[in-house]
Amino acid sequence: MRKEEWFQNLLKQSGGCLVVDGGLATHLEHLGANINDPLWSALCLIKNPELVRQVHREYLEAGAHIIITASYQATIPGFCSRGLSLAESEELLRRTVLLAVEARDAFRKSQQEKDIDDKNLQPALVAASIGSYGAYLADGSEYSGIYGPEMTLEKLKDFHRRRLQVVAEAKPDLIAFETTPNKIEAQAYVDLLREEAIDVPVWITFNSKDGVNVVSGDPFEECIGLAASCPSVVAVGINCTPPRFIHGLILNAKKVTTKPIIIYPNSGEMWDGEKKEWVVSHFCDNGVHIQDLPFSFLHPSTGVSDTDFVSYVHKWRESGASLIGGCCRTTPKTIRAISEALKRR
């Protein structure tokens, strides 16, 4: 069965919409992990892999159908810079998939122990994350897409090639190219998928800070069209983008592709690459300028609450999103609310 047919059948069996998990690093921090490090969540692969497995399990229990591995910022150069050998670095990449598979298998076993009929078992898929070159730099450039004039398509392909090979060999259900900030990196992914004959279904998602372009300024529709042109790509969409932009981006994506649209926004805050922290956007999620609001209106977290986040879900679904989840600053509580909202629908 072709990849697209497999994925379309999966969506049909799940009522037309799948729930993606939420912020892995966010929940790792909630559980006490210190990931203020260039490796970010990938640091836990070295120091506390059991905690990664726990986060995956909690997202499945919250209703997620797809859990994303802790490999977003896990790169071979990044691990080698910490003194690990090439073999050790590649093994850590494989471990990201193994931890998610172990969490999934334990969850499925618990479902079966509850005598849930096989045909009613919740889908539980593992998507191996591949973050952008900017994520490896750990300087916030995945939110600008500005890699400098010396960056070329071939350099990006060289950077991503071996990591893609390793995670594909680990046999996840899907590969997720996430937070893609510019068109040249999307082209690198499409070329690599063809050159390496990757046999794992893929999604590619972009991030935007204006609701029209990806963060580099490249037109969003052009990027989506490029990603969707690849036969290995079974879904395209948006992640780590403020919720207020998602509806319009879904509609724009639908202008250039009939492939399923995946969206997993962040909480509405913005990442400050210099301060290494999430900060409040200049605008609240309804478009009102922060300075025009009374101080008492602002939530201490400076982000969109779970209630407000979930209030968008039906609009996103009706607009054409087939996969819905959360990104940075969302938690299992957010995903549980999304899952319950979709079930009620």
Side-chain angles (χ1 to χ4, degrees), residues 89-112:
S89 300
E90 292 184 355
E91 183 56 34
L92 280 175
L93 277 175
R94 295 185 187 95
R95 183 184 293 182
T96 65
V97 176
L98 178 62
L99 289 170
V101 168
E102 288 174 347
R104 185 265 307 279
D105 291 349
F107 173 71
R108 296 301 289 270
K109 183 178 179 181
S110 70
Q111 284 188 304
Q112 291 166 341

mmCIF file with all atom_site columns, all heavy atoms in Angstrom, residues 89-112:
data_model
loop_
_atom_site.group_PDB
_atom_site.id
_atom_site.type_symbol
_atom_site.label_atom_id
_atom_site.label_alt_id
_atom_site.label_comp_id
_atom_site.label_asym_id
_atom_site.label_entity_id
_atom_site.label_seq_id
_atom_site.pdbx_PDB_ins_code
_atom_site.Cartn_x
_atom_site.Cartn_y
_atom_site.Cartn_z
_atom_site.occupancy
_atom_site.B_iso_or_equiv
_atom_site.pdbx_formal_charge
_atom_site.auth_seq_id
_atom_site.auth_comp_id
_atom_site.auth_asym_id
_atom_site.auth_atom_id
_atom_site.pdbx_PDB_model_num
ATOM 1   N N   . SER A 1 89  ? 26.763 8.784  19.257 1.00 0.00 ? 89  SER A N   1
ATOM 2   C CA  . SER A 1 89  ? 25.815 9.813  18.825 1.00 0.00 ? 89  SER A CA  1
ATOM 3   C C   . SER A 1 89  ? 24.679 9.201  18.009 1.00 0.00 ? 89  SER A C   1
ATOM 4   O O   . SER A 1 89  ? 23.506 9.529  18.199 1.00 0.00 ? 89  SER A O   1
ATOM 5   C CB  . SER A 1 89  ? 26.544 10.884 18.006 1.00 0.00 ? 89  SER A CB  1
ATOM 6   O OG  . SER A 1 89  ? 27.554 11.505 18.768 1.00 0.00 ? 89  SER A OG  1
ATOM 7   N N   . GLU A 1 90  ? 25.043 8.306  17.114 1.00 0.00 ? 90  GLU A N   1
ATOM 8   C CA  . GLU A 1 90  ? 24.020 7.653  16.297 1.00 0.00 ? 90  GLU A CA  1
ATOM 9   C C   . GLU A 1 90  ? 23.125 6.761  17.157 1.00 0.00 ? 90  GLU A C   1
ATOM 10  O O   . GLU A 1 90  ? 21.912 6.671  16.922 1.00 0.00 ? 90  GLU A O   1
ATOM 11  C CB  . GLU A 1 90  ? 24.675 6.856  15.178 1.00 0.00 ? 90  GLU A CB  1
ATOM 12  C CG  . GLU A 1 90  ? 25.353 7.746  14.145 1.00 0.00 ? 90  GLU A CG  1
ATOM 13  C CD  . GLU A 1 90  ? 25.921 6.978  12.976 1.00 0.00 ? 90  GLU A CD  1
ATOM 14  O OE1 . GLU A 1 90  ? 25.872 5.721  12.999 1.00 0.00 ? 90  GLU A OE1 1
ATOM 15  O OE2 . GLU A 1 90  ? 26.416 7.620  12.026 1.00 0.00 ? 90  GLU A OE2 1
ATOM 16  N N   . GLU A 1 91  ? 23.698 6.121  18.156 1.00 0.00 ? 91  GLU A N   1
ATOM 17  C CA  . GLU A 1 91  ? 22.911 5.272  19.044 1.00 0.00 ? 91  GLU A CA  1
ATOM 18  C C   . GLU A 1 91  ? 21.904 6.105  19.840 1.00 0.00 ? 91  GLU A C   1
ATOM 19  O O   . GLU A 1 91  ? 20.781 5.658  20.091 1.00 0.00 ? 91  GLU A O   1
ATOM 20  C CB  . GLU A 1 91  ? 23.823 4.493  19.979 1.00 0.00 ? 91  GLU A CB  1
ATOM 21  C CG  . GLU A 1 91  ? 23.089 3.529  20.902 1.00 0.00 ? 91  GLU A CG  1
ATOM 22  C CD  . GLU A 1 91  ? 22.207 2.533  20.151 1.00 0.00 ? 91  GLU A CD  1
ATOM 23  O OE1 . GLU A 1 91  ? 22.594 2.116  19.024 1.00 0.00 ? 91  GLU A OE1 1
ATOM 24  O OE2 . GLU A 1 91  ? 21.142 2.167  20.675 1.00 0.00 ? 91  GLU A OE2 1
ATOM 25  N N   . LEU A 1 92  ? 22.291 7.309  20.244 1.00 0.00 ? 92  LEU A N   1
ATOM 26  C CA  . LEU A 1 92  ? 21.351 8.178  20.953 1.00 0.00 ? 92  LEU A CA  1
ATOM 27  C C   . LEU A 1 92  ? 20.191 8.582  20.046 1.00 0.00 ? 92  LEU A C   1
ATOM 28  O O   . LEU A 1 92  ? 19.044 8.682  20.509 1.00 0.00 ? 92  LEU A O   1
ATOM 29  C CB  . LEU A 1 92  ? 22.069 9.428  21.472 1.00 0.00 ? 92  LEU A CB  1
ATOM 30  C CG  . LEU A 1 92  ? 22.873 9.255  22.760 1.00 0.00 ? 92  LEU A CG  1
ATOM 31  C CD1 . LEU A 1 92  ? 23.624 10.540 23.095 1.00 0.00 ? 92  LEU A CD1 1
ATOM 32  C CD2 . LEU A 1 92  ? 21.971 8.861  23.927 1.00 0.00 ? 92  LEU A CD2 1
ATOM 33  N N   . LEU A 1 93  ? 20.463 8.794  18.776 1.00 0.00 ? 93  LEU A N   1
ATOM 34  C CA  . LEU A 1 93  ? 19.376 9.088  17.838 1.00 0.00 ? 93  LEU A CA  1
ATOM 35  C C   . LEU A 1 93  ? 18.406 7.911  17.748 1.00 0.00 ? 93  LEU A C   1
ATOM 36  O O   . LEU A 1 93  ? 17.185 8.088  17.757 1.00 0.00 ? 93  LEU A O   1
ATOM 37  C CB  . LEU A 1 93  ? 19.935 9.401  16.455 1.00 0.00 ? 93  LEU A CB  1
ATOM 38  C CG  . LEU A 1 93  ? 20.414 10.826 16.194 1.00 0.00 ? 93  LEU A CG  1
ATOM 39  C CD1 . LEU A 1 93  ? 21.041 10.934 14.810 1.00 0.00 ? 93  LEU A CD1 1
ATOM 40  C CD2 . LEU A 1 93  ? 19.259 11.814 16.318 1.00 0.00 ? 93  LEU A CD2 1
ATOM 41  N N   . ARG A 1 94  ? 18.954 6.710  17.656 1.00 0.00 ? 94  ARG A N   1
ATOM 42  C CA  . ARG A 1 94  ? 18.090 5.523  17.610 1.00 0.00 ? 94  ARG A CA  1
ATOM 43  C C   . ARG A 1 94  ? 17.292 5.385  18.914 1.00 0.00 ? 94  ARG A C   1
ATOM 44  O O   . ARG A 1 94  ? 16.143 4.952  18.900 1.00 0.00 ? 94  ARG A O   1
ATOM 45  C CB  . ARG A 1 94  ? 18.927 4.270  17.379 1.00 0.00 ? 94  ARG A CB  1
ATOM 46  C CG  . ARG A 1 94  ? 19.632 4.234  16.035 1.00 0.00 ? 94  ARG A CG  1
ATOM 47  C CD  . ARG A 1 94  ? 20.339 2.912  15.809 1.00 0.00 ? 94  ARG A CD  1
ATOM 48  N NE  . ARG A 1 94  ? 21.147 2.957  14.602 1.00 0.00 ? 94  ARG A NE  1
ATOM 49  C CZ  . ARG A 1 94  ? 22.453 3.251  14.575 1.00 0.00 ? 94  ARG A CZ  1
ATOM 50  N NH1 . ARG A 1 94  ? 23.093 3.478  15.732 1.00 0.00 ? 94  ARG A NH1 1
ATOM 51  N NH2 . ARG A 1 94  ? 23.114 3.292  13.447 1.00 0.00 ? 94  ARG A NH2 1
ATOM 52  N N   . ARG A 1 95  ? 17.920 5.765  20.016 1.00 0.00 ? 95  ARG A N   1
ATOM 53  C CA  . ARG A 1 95  ? 17.245 5.648  21.300 1.00 0.00 ? 95  ARG A CA  1
ATOM 54  C C   . ARG A 1 95  ? 15.993 6.529  21.362 1.00 0.00 ? 95  ARG A C   1
ATOM 55  O O   . ARG A 1 95  ? 15.019 6.174  22.033 1.00 0.00 ? 95  ARG A O   1
ATOM 56  C CB  . ARG A 1 95  ? 18.199 6.041  22.434 1.00 0.00 ? 95  ARG A CB  1
ATOM 57  C CG  . ARG A 1 95  ? 17.586 5.885  23.828 1.00 0.00 ? 95  ARG A CG  1
ATOM 58  C CD  . ARG A 1 95  ? 18.509 6.365  24.929 1.00 0.00 ? 95  ARG A CD  1
ATOM 59  N NE  . ARG A 1 95  ? 19.690 5.511  25.049 1.00 0.00 ? 95  ARG A NE  1
ATOM 60  C CZ  . ARG A 1 95  ? 20.639 5.699  25.964 1.00 0.00 ? 95  ARG A CZ  1
ATOM 61  N NH1 . ARG A 1 95  ? 20.556 6.717  26.805 1.00 0.00 ? 95  ARG A NH1 1
ATOM 62  N NH2 . ARG A 1 95  ? 21.660 4.874  26.024 1.00 0.00 ? 95  ARG A NH2 1
ATOM 63  N N   . THR A 1 96  ? 16.006 7.657  20.676 1.00 0.00 ? 96  THR A N   1
ATOM 64  C CA  . THR A 1 96  ? 14.818 8.521  20.708 1.00 0.00 ? 96  THR A CA  1
ATOM 65  C C   . THR A 1 96  ? 13.590 7.777  20.193 1.00 0.00 ? 96  THR A C   1
ATOM 66  O O   . THR A 1 96  ? 12.493 7.913  20.734 1.00 0.00 ? 96  THR A O   1
ATOM 67  C CB  . THR A 1 96  ? 15.029 9.804  19.874 1.00 0.00 ? 96  THR A CB  1
ATOM 68  O OG1 . THR A 1 96  ? 15.178 9.481  18.484 1.00 0.00 ? 96  THR A OG1 1
ATOM 69  C CG2 . THR A 1 96  ? 16.242 10.579 20.352 1.00 0.00 ? 96  THR A CG2 1
ATOM 70  N N   . VAL A 1 97  ? 13.797 6.977  19.140 1.00 0.00 ? 97  VAL A N   1
ATOM 71  C CA  . VAL A 1 97  ? 12.685 6.191  18.592 1.00 0.00 ? 97  VAL A CA  1
ATOM 72  C C   . VAL A 1 97  ? 12.343 5.048  19.534 1.00 0.00 ? 97  VAL A C   1
ATOM 73  O O   . VAL A 1 97  ? 11.162 4.778  19.808 1.00 0.00 ? 97  VAL A O   1
ATOM 74  C CB  . VAL A 1 97  ? 13.032 5.668  17.186 1.00 0.00 ? 97  VAL A CB  1
ATOM 75  C CG1 . VAL A 1 97  ? 11.900 4.775  16.657 1.00 0.00 ? 97  VAL A CG1 1
ATOM 76  C CG2 . VAL A 1 97  ? 13.277 6.827  16.223 1.00 0.00 ? 97  VAL A CG2 1
ATOM 77  N N   . LEU A 1 98  ? 13.359 4.380  20.055 1.00 0.00 ? 98  LEU A N   1
ATOM 78  C CA  . LEU A 1 98  ? 13.135 3.241  20.945 1.00 0.00 ? 98  LEU A CA  1
ATOM 79  C C   . LEU A 1 98  ? 12.344 3.659  22.187 1.00 0.00 ? 98  LEU A C   1
ATOM 80  O O   . LEU A 1 98  ? 11.408 2.950  22.602 1.00 0.00 ? 98  LEU A O   1
ATOM 81  C CB  . LEU A 1 98  ? 14.472 2.638  21.362 1.00 0.00 ? 98  LEU A CB  1
ATOM 82  C CG  . LEU A 1 98  ? 14.402 1.466  22.348 1.00 0.00 ? 98  LEU A CG  1
ATOM 83  C CD1 . LEU A 1 98  ? 13.644 0.299  21.746 1.00 0.00 ? 98  LEU A CD1 1
ATOM 84  C CD2 . LEU A 1 98  ? 15.805 1.039  22.768 1.00 0.00 ? 98  LEU A CD2 1
ATOM 85  N N   . LEU A 1 99  ? 12.673 4.787  22.783 1.00 0.00 ? 99  LEU A N   1
ATOM 86  C CA  . LEU A 1 99  ? 11.964 5.247  23.984 1.00 0.00 ? 99  LEU A CA  1
ATOM 87  C C   . LEU A 1 99  ? 10.487 5.480  23.690 1.00 0.00 ? 99  LEU A C   1
ATOM 88  O O   . LEU A 1 99  ? 9.617  5.132  24.493 1.00 0.00 ? 99  LEU A O   1
ATOM 89  C CB  . LEU A 1 99  ? 12.607 6.535  24.509 1.00 0.00 ? 99  LEU A CB  1
ATOM 90  C CG  . LEU A 1 99  ? 13.993 6.393  25.147 1.00 0.00 ? 99  LEU A CG  1
ATOM 91  C CD1 . LEU A 1 99  ? 14.600 7.769  25.389 1.00 0.00 ? 99  LEU A CD1 1
ATOM 92  C CD2 . LEU A 1 99  ? 13.909 5.613  26.456 1.00 0.00 ? 99  LEU A CD2 1
ATOM 93  N N   . ALA A 1 100 ? 10.211 6.080  22.545 1.00 0.00 ? 100 ALA A N   1
ATOM 94  C CA  . ALA A 1 100 ? 8.820  6.336  22.173 1.00 0.00 ? 100 ALA A CA  1
ATOM 95  C C   . ALA A 1 100 ? 8.079  5.030  21.884 1.00 0.00 ? 100 ALA A C   1
ATOM 96  O O   . ALA A 1 100 ? 6.917  4.856  22.276 1.00 0.00 ? 100 ALA A O   1
ATOM 97  C CB  . ALA A 1 100 ? 8.759  7.266  20.965 1.00 0.00 ? 100 ALA A CB  1
ATOM 98  N N   . VAL A 1 101 ? 8.752  4.100  21.206 1.00 0.00 ? 101 VAL A N   1
ATOM 99  C CA  . VAL A 1 101 ? 8.129  2.801  20.909 1.00 0.00 ? 101 VAL A CA  1
ATOM 100 C C   . VAL A 1 101 ? 7.848  2.043  22.204 1.00 0.00 ? 101 VAL A C   1
ATOM 101 O O   . VAL A 1 101 ? 6.772  1.434  22.366 1.00 0.00 ? 101 VAL A O   1
ATOM 102 C CB  . VAL A 1 101 ? 9.038  1.981  19.975 1.00 0.00 ? 101 VAL A CB  1
ATOM 103 C CG1 . VAL A 1 101 ? 8.550  0.539  19.888 1.00 0.00 ? 101 VAL A CG1 1
ATOM 104 C CG2 . VAL A 1 101 ? 9.062  2.600  18.578 1.00 0.00 ? 101 VAL A CG2 1
ATOM 105 N N   . GLU A 1 102 ? 8.779  2.082  23.145 1.00 0.00 ? 102 GLU A N   1
ATOM 106 C CA  . GLU A 1 102 ? 8.567  1.403  24.422 1.00 0.00 ? 102 GLU A CA  1
ATOM 107 C C   . GLU A 1 102 ? 7.383  2.004  25.166 1.00 0.00 ? 102 GLU A C   1
ATOM 108 O O   . GLU A 1 102 ? 6.568  1.268  25.753 1.00 0.00 ? 102 GLU A O   1
ATOM 109 C CB  . GLU A 1 102 ? 9.832  1.504  25.275 1.00 0.00 ? 102 GLU A CB  1
ATOM 110 C CG  . GLU A 1 102 ? 10.973 0.627  24.772 1.00 0.00 ? 102 GLU A CG  1
ATOM 111 C CD  . GLU A 1 102 ? 12.264 0.848  25.537 1.00 0.00 ? 102 GLU A CD  1
ATOM 112 O OE1 . GLU A 1 102 ? 12.353 1.835  26.294 1.00 0.00 ? 102 GLU A OE1 1
ATOM 113 O OE2 . GLU A 1 102 ? 13.192 0.041  25.382 1.00 0.00 ? 102 GLU A OE2 1
ATOM 114 N N   . ALA A 1 103 ? 7.273  3.332  25.147 1.00 0.00 ? 103 ALA A N   1
ATOM 115 C CA  . ALA A 1 103 ? 6.133  3.995  25.808 1.00 0.00 ? 103 ALA A CA  1
ATOM 116 C C   . ALA A 1 103 ? 4.831  3.602  25.119 1.00 0.00 ? 103 ALA A C   1
ATOM 117 O O   . ALA A 1 103 ? 3.820  3.335  25.781 1.00 0.00 ? 103 ALA A O   1
ATOM 118 C CB  . ALA A 1 103 ? 6.328  5.507  25.788 1.00 0.00 ? 103 ALA A CB  1
ATOM 119 N N   . ARG A 1 104 ? 4.857  3.561  23.797 1.00 0.00 ? 104 ARG A N   1
ATOM 120 C CA  . ARG A 1 104 ? 3.668  3.184  23.039 1.00 0.00 ? 104 ARG A CA  1
ATOM 121 C C   . ARG A 1 104 ? 3.258  1.749  23.324 1.00 0.00 ? 104 ARG A C   1
ATOM 122 O O   . ARG A 1 104 ? 2.077  1.450  23.551 1.00 0.00 ? 104 ARG A O   1
ATOM 123 C CB  . ARG A 1 104 ? 3.943  3.386  21.551 1.00 0.00 ? 104 ARG A CB  1
ATOM 124 C CG  . ARG A 1 104 ? 2.752  3.144  20.613 1.00 0.00 ? 104 ARG A CG  1
ATOM 125 C CD  . ARG A 1 104 ? 2.715  1.759  20.030 1.00 0.00 ? 104 ARG A CD  1
ATOM 126 N NE  . ARG A 1 104 ? 3.941  1.374  19.376 1.00 0.00 ? 104 ARG A NE  1
ATOM 127 C CZ  . ARG A 1 104 ? 4.280  1.731  18.127 1.00 0.00 ? 104 ARG A CZ  1
ATOM 128 N NH1 . ARG A 1 104 ? 3.492  2.517  17.426 1.00 0.00 ? 104 ARG A NH1 1
ATOM 129 N NH2 . ARG A 1 104 ? 5.413  1.280  17.601 1.00 0.00 ? 104 ARG A NH2 1
ATOM 130 N N   . ASP A 1 105 ? 4.224  0.844  23.333 1.00 0.00 ? 105 ASP A N   1
ATOM 131 C CA  . ASP A 1 105 ? 3.909  -0.568 23.561 1.00 0.00 ? 105 ASP A CA  1
ATOM 132 C C   . ASP A 1 105 ? 3.354  -0.797 24.967 1.00 0.00 ? 105 ASP A C   1
ATOM 133 O O   . ASP A 1 105 ? 2.416  -1.588 25.159 1.00 0.00 ? 105 ASP A O   1
ATOM 134 C CB  . ASP A 1 105 ? 5.157  -1.422 23.343 1.00 0.00 ? 105 ASP A CB  1
ATOM 135 C CG  . ASP A 1 105 ? 5.574  -1.473 21.879 1.00 0.00 ? 105 ASP A CG  1
ATOM 136 O OD1 . ASP A 1 105 ? 4.790  -1.026 21.024 1.00 0.00 ? 105 ASP A OD1 1
ATOM 137 O OD2 . ASP A 1 105 ? 6.696  -1.946 21.601 1.00 0.00 ? 105 ASP A OD2 1
ATOM 138 N N   . ALA A 1 106 ? 3.926  -0.090 25.952 1.00 0.00 ? 106 ALA A N   1
ATOM 139 C CA  . ALA A 1 106 ? 3.416  -0.218 27.323 1.00 0.00 ? 106 ALA A CA  1
ATOM 140 C C   . ALA A 1 106 ? 1.999  0.328  27.419 1.00 0.00 ? 106 ALA A C   1
ATOM 141 O O   . ALA A 1 106 ? 1.142  -0.248 28.115 1.00 0.00 ? 106 ALA A O   1
ATOM 142 C CB  . ALA A 1 106 ? 4.334  0.520  28.289 1.00 0.00 ? 106 ALA A CB  1
ATOM 143 N N   . PHE A 1 107 ? 1.737  1.404  26.701 1.00 0.00 ? 107 PHE A N   1
ATOM 144 C CA  . PHE A 1 107 ? 0.390  1.987  26.705 1.00 0.00 ? 107 PHE A CA  1
ATOM 145 C C   . PHE A 1 107 ? -0.610 1.038  26.052 1.00 0.00 ? 107 PHE A C   1
ATOM 146 O O   . PHE A 1 107 ? -1.710 0.826  26.582 1.00 0.00 ? 107 PHE A O   1
ATOM 147 C CB  . PHE A 1 107 ? 0.411  3.326  25.972 1.00 0.00 ? 107 PHE A CB  1
ATOM 148 C CG  . PHE A 1 107 ? -0.946 3.939  25.774 1.00 0.00 ? 107 PHE A CG  1
ATOM 149 C CD1 . PHE A 1 107 ? -1.649 4.466  26.844 1.00 0.00 ? 107 PHE A CD1 1
ATOM 150 C CD2 . PHE A 1 107 ? -1.519 3.983  24.512 1.00 0.00 ? 107 PHE A CD2 1
ATOM 151 C CE1 . PHE A 1 107 ? -2.909 5.027  26.666 1.00 0.00 ? 107 PHE A CE1 1
ATOM 152 C CE2 . PHE A 1 107 ? -2.774 4.541  24.323 1.00 0.00 ? 107 PHE A CE2 1
ATOM 153 C CZ  . PHE A 1 107 ? -3.470 5.061  25.399 1.00 0.00 ? 107 PHE A CZ  1
ATOM 154 N N   . ARG A 1 108 ? -0.224 0.448  24.921 1.00 0.00 ? 108 ARG A N   1
ATOM 155 C CA  . ARG A 1 108 ? -1.129 -0.487 24.247 1.00 0.00 ? 108 ARG A CA  1
ATOM 156 C C   . ARG A 1 108 ? -1.399 -1.712 25.116 1.00 0.00 ? 108 ARG A C   1
ATOM 157 O O   . ARG A 1 108 ? -2.532 -2.217 25.166 1.00 0.00 ? 108 ARG A O   1
ATOM 158 C CB  . ARG A 1 108 ? -0.519 -0.921 22.902 1.00 0.00 ? 108 ARG A CB  1
ATOM 159 C CG  . ARG A 1 108 ? -0.350 0.179  21.899 1.00 0.00 ? 108 ARG A CG  1
ATOM 160 C CD  . ARG A 1 108 ? -1.657 0.862  21.534 1.00 0.00 ? 108 ARG A CD  1
ATOM 161 N NE  . ARG A 1 108 ? -2.519 0.034  20.745 1.00 0.00 ? 108 ARG A NE  1
ATOM 162 C CZ  . ARG A 1 108 ? -2.495 -0.004 19.410 1.00 0.00 ? 108 ARG A CZ  1
ATOM 163 N NH1 . ARG A 1 108 ? -1.629 0.725  18.747 1.00 0.00 ? 108 ARG A NH1 1
ATOM 164 N NH2 . ARG A 1 108 ? -3.338 -0.747 18.746 1.00 0.00 ? 108 ARG A NH2 1
ATOM 165 N N   . LYS A 1 109 ? -0.382 -2.169 25.818 1.00 0.00 ? 109 LYS A N   1
ATOM 166 C CA  . LYS A 1 109 ? -0.560 -3.312 26.706 1.00 0.00 ? 109 LYS A CA  1
ATOM 167 C C   . LYS A 1 109 ? -1.558 -2.974 27.814 1.00 0.00 ? 109 LYS A C   1
ATOM 168 O O   . LYS A 1 109 ? -2.424 -3.793 28.159 1.00 0.00 ? 109 LYS A O   1
ATOM 169 C CB  . LYS A 1 109 ? 0.781  -3.723 27.320 1.00 0.00 ? 109 LYS A CB  1
ATOM 170 C CG  . LYS A 1 109 ? 0.691  -4.952 28.212 1.00 0.00 ? 109 LYS A CG  1
ATOM 171 C CD  . LYS A 1 109 ? 2.055  -5.343 28.758 1.00 0.00 ? 109 LYS A CD  1
ATOM 172 C CE  . LYS A 1 109 ? 1.948  -6.570 29.667 1.00 0.00 ? 109 LYS A CE  1
ATOM 173 N NZ  . LYS A 1 109 ? 3.282  -6.935 30.225 1.00 0.00 ? 109 LYS A NZ  1
ATOM 174 N N   . SER A 1 110 ? -1.469 -1.749 28.341 1.00 0.00 ? 110 SER A N   1
ATOM 175 C CA  . SER A 1 110 ? -2.400 -1.339 29.400 1.00 0.00 ? 110 SER A CA  1
ATOM 176 C C   . SER A 1 110 ? -3.828 -1.263 28.871 1.00 0.00 ? 110 SER A C   1
ATOM 177 O O   . SER A 1 110 ? -4.784 -1.584 29.581 1.00 0.00 ? 110 SER A O   1
ATOM 178 C CB  . SER A 1 110 ? -1.981 0.005  29.996 1.00 0.00 ? 110 SER A CB  1
ATOM 179 O OG  . SER A 1 110 ? -2.174 1.062  29.084 1.00 0.00 ? 110 SER A OG  1
ATOM 180 N N   . GLN A 1 111 ? -3.970 -0.851 27.613 1.00 0.00 ? 111 GLN A N   1
ATOM 181 C CA  . GLN A 1 111 ? -5.301 -0.830 27.006 1.00 0.00 ? 111 GLN A CA  1
ATOM 182 C C   . GLN A 1 111 ? -5.860 -2.243 26.879 1.00 0.00 ? 111 GLN A C   1
ATOM 183 O O   . GLN A 1 111 ? -7.031 -2.494 27.173 1.00 0.00 ? 111 GLN A O   1
ATOM 184 C CB  . GLN A 1 111 ? -5.242 -0.183 25.611 1.00 0.00 ? 111 GLN A CB  1
ATOM 185 C CG  . GLN A 1 111 ? -5.111 1.336  25.617 1.00 0.00 ? 111 GLN A CG  1
ATOM 186 C CD  . GLN A 1 111 ? -5.259 1.887  24.218 1.00 0.00 ? 111 GLN A CD  1
ATOM 187 O OE1 . GLN A 1 111 ? -4.542 1.503  23.298 1.00 0.00 ? 111 GLN A OE1 1
ATOM 188 N NE2 . GLN A 1 111 ? -6.198 2.790  24.041 1.00 0.00 ? 111 GLN A NE2 1
ATOM 189 N N   . GLN A 1 112 ? -5.016 -3.157 26.438 1.00 0.00 ? 112 GLN A N   1
ATOM 190 C CA  . GLN A 1 112 ? -5.457 -4.535 26.259 1.00 0.00 ? 112 GLN A CA  1
ATOM 191 C C   . GLN A 1 112 ? -5.809 -5.189 27.590 1.00 0.00 ? 112 GLN A C   1
ATOM 192 O O   . GLN A 1 112 ? -6.738 -6.005 27.667 1.00 0.00 ? 112 GLN A O   1
ATOM 193 C CB  . GLN A 1 112 ? -4.372 -5.328 25.533 1.00 0.00 ? 112 GLN A CB  1
ATOM 194 C CG  . GLN A 1 112 ? -4.191 -4.900 24.087 1.00 0.00 ? 112 GLN A CG  1
ATOM 195 C CD  . GLN A 1 112 ? -2.919 -5.418 23.463 1.00 0.00 ? 112 GLN A CD  1
ATOM 196 O OE1 . GLN A 1 112 ? -1.995 -5.807 24.165 1.00 0.00 ? 112 GLN A OE1 1
ATOM 197 N NE2 . GLN A 1 112 ? -2.864 -5.420 22.136 1.00 0.00 ? 112 GLN A NE2 1
#
